[in-house]
Amino acid sequence: MTAPLSLSVLDLIPVRLGQTTGQALAASRELVRAADRLGFTRYWVAEHHNMPAVASTEPAVELMHLGQGTSRIRLGSGGVMLPNHAPLAVAERFALLTAVFGDRIDMGIGRAPGTDPYTSAAMRGHLGEARVVDAQGAPLDPVEQFPQHIVDILALLSPSGASIPVRGGEHVLHASPRVDEAAQVWLLGSSGYSAQLSAALGLPYVFANHFMGNGTEAAIRLYRESFTPTEHGSEPRTFVTVNAAVGETAEEAWELVQPFVYQMGALRIGPKLEPQRLVGEDVASVMTEGHRRIGESMWDTWAVGTAAEVAERLRSIAAHFEVDEIMIQPIAGARPDDPIDSVPARVRTVEALSREFDLERA
């Protein structure tokens, strides 16, 4: 018997024109509470910096706020951009989340900085070129240290802790607070690198299908074929991320995603990525043929249309990649008359898909 398809939510906490960060967070709080109530499996927030269009900069802090009022949905990062942080700091933030929310915490970790190199260096305490060096004075690349930092986090969260060699012995370090159930660590990626690393460590893995639009099949195959059982996992675990929007009609759904289409174009051809435009004339007034062509090049991996059409599309994607979970990024934009602290179209997307997949009964 085929397992029922589980649905989850990825949220970048988008900021639209005229909206404050606090109002964007209020909209996301409405979204996660709806997803929790409606039977979604996970709610993950991303990490991006120096982007006026995205309010999600510090996943652990955001989850401590957004998770309040939820009772069953798993809360996680999609993901923490590890080159920006010390492993101990990440481990302790997620230990705190676990102390508050119990065994509902996922720690998704990525190798990219989630920003430009100058901002990434500033995240590590250097305004300008990074100046972290090794014992010989050579610069240390945090991306090259990624595998060791993953191993360090796993050790810090384990009952035995991380062992640090010191003169005459060793010092054992644990992430504080100590918790009975550690966060579930996932590796995220947009290439085969993290797929191979996840497989070698026996960790679950997710490819950024919602952003890349290609390479998913090869990465998942590499992960599954290379997987080695360890104390962190006995078999491969993965799911697929998909941009999704539901409208009363397919035409309305495509109208709702035009602000997102414009942003995807702006990421590649400009202008600078500013707060998200509104549905209708606001986005139509700035959309160029170039922006639209970039959007069209990515549409094949999205699920946009009526509830029935999107559900059929998600089932097809799940069957193609042989997964039993899809994480949607609700990409419907706001209309000019929507409340400033809400994005009703995003909530309607999760409501409609919950009904289509009967998630509340699952």
Side-chain angles (χ1 to χ4, degrees):
M1 181 176 178
T2 304
L5 185 62
S6 299
L7 294 185
S8 296
V9 173
L10 173 65
D11 189 6
L12 272 62
I13 314 183
V15 180
R16 70 178 189 259
L17 285 175
Q19 194 179 47
T20 67
T21 298
Q23 290 163 340
L25 284 164
S28 286
R29 185 173 57 202
E30 180 184 16
L31 178 66
V32 65
R33 289 180 177 179
D36 179 64
R37 181 180 73 253
L38 295 167
F40 281 68
T41 300
R42 310 173 204 277
Y43 171 83
W44 284 9
V45 291
E47 176 185 341
H48 294 282
H49 301 279
N50 198 29
M51 293 184 181
V54 176
S56 186
T57 58
E58 179 49 73
V61 176
E62 294 153 11
L63 292 171
M64 194 68 79
H65 167 67
L66 295 170
Q68 299 299 319
T70 65
S71 61
R72 56 181 177 175
I73 198 167
R74 295 190 65 84
L75 305 166
S77 55
V80 169
M81 300 294 99
L82 193 52
N84 299 332
H85 310 282
L88 178 58
V90 174
E92 292 201 329
R93 289 167 194 157
F94 279 79
L96 280 168
L97 284 168
T98 304
V100 173
F101 296 107
D103 62 356
R104 293 197 285 137
I105 300 301
D106 295 329
M107 185 198 299
I109 301 175
R111 186 169 65 111
T115 188
D116 61 84
Y118 303 103
T119 304
S120 181
M123 289 290 297
R124 302 191 303 276
H126 306 285
L127 293 176
E129 184 179 357
R131 293 186 292 274
V132 181
V133 298
D134 62 17
Q136 287 73 46
L140 285 175
D141 183 348
V143 174
E144 292 181 0
Q145 295 175 288
F146 183 73
Q148 182 59 51
H149 284 176
I150 295 295
V151 172
D152 291 344
I153 287 175
L154 293 170
L156 287 163
L157 293 172
S158 71
S160 56
S163 178
I164 302 172
V166 296
R167 184 177 299 176
E170 65 177 16
H171 177 76
V172 177
L173 184 61
H174 294 87
S176 298
R178 299 284 292 277
V179 290
D180 294 331
E181 188 77 27
Q184 171 65 69
V185 177
W186 293 70
L187 293 196
L188 318 179
S190 56
S191 69
Y193 177 94
S194 290
Q196 291 180 300
L197 181 59
S198 302
L201 295 174
L203 291 171
Y205 166 74
V206 182
F207 184 85
N209 181 71
H210 67 286
F211 182 73
M212 292 301 295
N214 55 63
T216 306
E217 186 168 5
I220 290 178
R221 182 173 62 251
L222 176 62
Y223 168 64
R224 286 172 170 157
E225 292 176 350
S226 306
F227 187 87
T228 301
T230 70
E231 67 272 25
H232 306 302
S234 59
E235 60 184 10
R237 292 178 63 197
T238 188
F239 57 76
V240 175
T241 58
V242 177
N243 294 321
V246 171
E248 289 294 323
T249 65
E251 291 74 18
E252 183 196 26
W254 282 107
E255 181 187 25
L256 289 168
V257 303
Q258 292 310 298
F260 186 78
V261 170
Y262 177 74
Q263 282 194 316
M264 291 301 95
L267 276 173
R268 290 160 175 78
I269 62 175
K272 182 180 177 181
L273 193 62
E274 297 293 347
Q276 193 173 77
R277 291 282 179 163
L278 301 173
V279 175
E281 178 57 30
D282 183 52
V283 69
S285 67
V286 294
M287 183 79 75
T288 68
E289 188 59 31
H291 292 99
R292 195 174 303 281
R293 280 200 301 270
I294 288 172
E296 289 175 351
S297 71
M298 305 173 70
W299 287 351
D300 285 347
T301 63
W302 299 2
V304 179
T306 65
E309 290 169 341
V310 171
E312 181 181 2
R313 173 69 173 143
L314 295 181
R315 290 189 180 99
S316 174
I317 291 171
H320 178 76
F321 292 111
E322 299 181 336
V323 297
D324 59 9
E325 181 177 346
I326 297 283
M327 177 173 277
I328 65 165
Q329 179 182 204
I331 59 172
R335 294 188 181 278
D337 56 351
D338 285 342
I340 194 64
D341 57 355
S342 176
V343 184
R346 290 207 295 161
V347 174
R348 286 198 298 270
T349 291
V350 301
E351 289 174 339
L353 292 177
S354 176
R355 290 191 296 269
E356 287 291 325
F357 288 91
D358 204 12
L359 296 183
E360 291 185 87
R361 292 189 186 181

